[in-house]
């Protein structure tokens, strides 16, 4: 966590607060996110709870958990045959 910027730490804290509300079946609102962060003693810029509550709705979180974004290409192929060809 020490390598993260203050902004990144605030984003993570706000994301975790939204996920905690989701997990507790509570409304994911900017007020509830702020209340949870205040209770945890975490200070974030005032716009973070607003932005995250608009993006991380319960439906969006369910979608992200059920269908996570792709993680890139496949495992990569075998690297070609070793010593398999006749040299002329």
């Amino acid at each position: 966590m020490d390598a993260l910027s203050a902004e990144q730490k605030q984003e993570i804290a706000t994301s975790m607060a939204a996920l905690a509300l989701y997990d507790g079946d509570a409304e994911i609102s900017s007020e509830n996110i702020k209340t949870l962060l205040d209770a945890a003693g975490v200070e974030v810029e005032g716009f973070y709870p607003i932005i995250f509550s608009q993006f991380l709705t319960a439906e969006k979180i369910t979608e992200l958990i059920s269908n996570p974004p792709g993680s890139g290409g496949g495992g990569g192929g075998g690297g070609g045959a070793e010593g398999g060809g006749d040299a002329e």
Side-chain angles (χ1 to χ4, degrees):
M1 289 291 280
D2 291 337
L4 298 176
S5 69
E7 292 82 15
Q8 290 171 319
K9 290 177 183 177
Q10 291 179 45
E11 290 172 1
I12 291 171
T14 308
S15 297
M16 293 297 119
L19 289 173
L21 292 169
Y22 171 82
D23 192 50
D25 291 326
E27 179 186 6
I28 303 169
S29 66
S30 59
E31 292 175 9
N32 285 349
I33 291 172
K34 177 97 172 88
T35 299
L36 187 55
L37 291 171
D38 287 345
V42 178
E43 292 184 26
V44 300
E45 295 290 333
F47 62 88
Y48 281 115
I50 296 167
I51 292 172
F52 280 73
S53 68
Q54 291 175 353
F55 177 73
L56 291 176
T57 62
E59 295 79 22
K60 183 68 172 179
I61 293 173
T62 300
E63 180 183 330
L64 289 169
I65 291 172
S66 300
N67 303 307
S71 60
E82 293 181 21
D86 291 333
E88 290 184 33

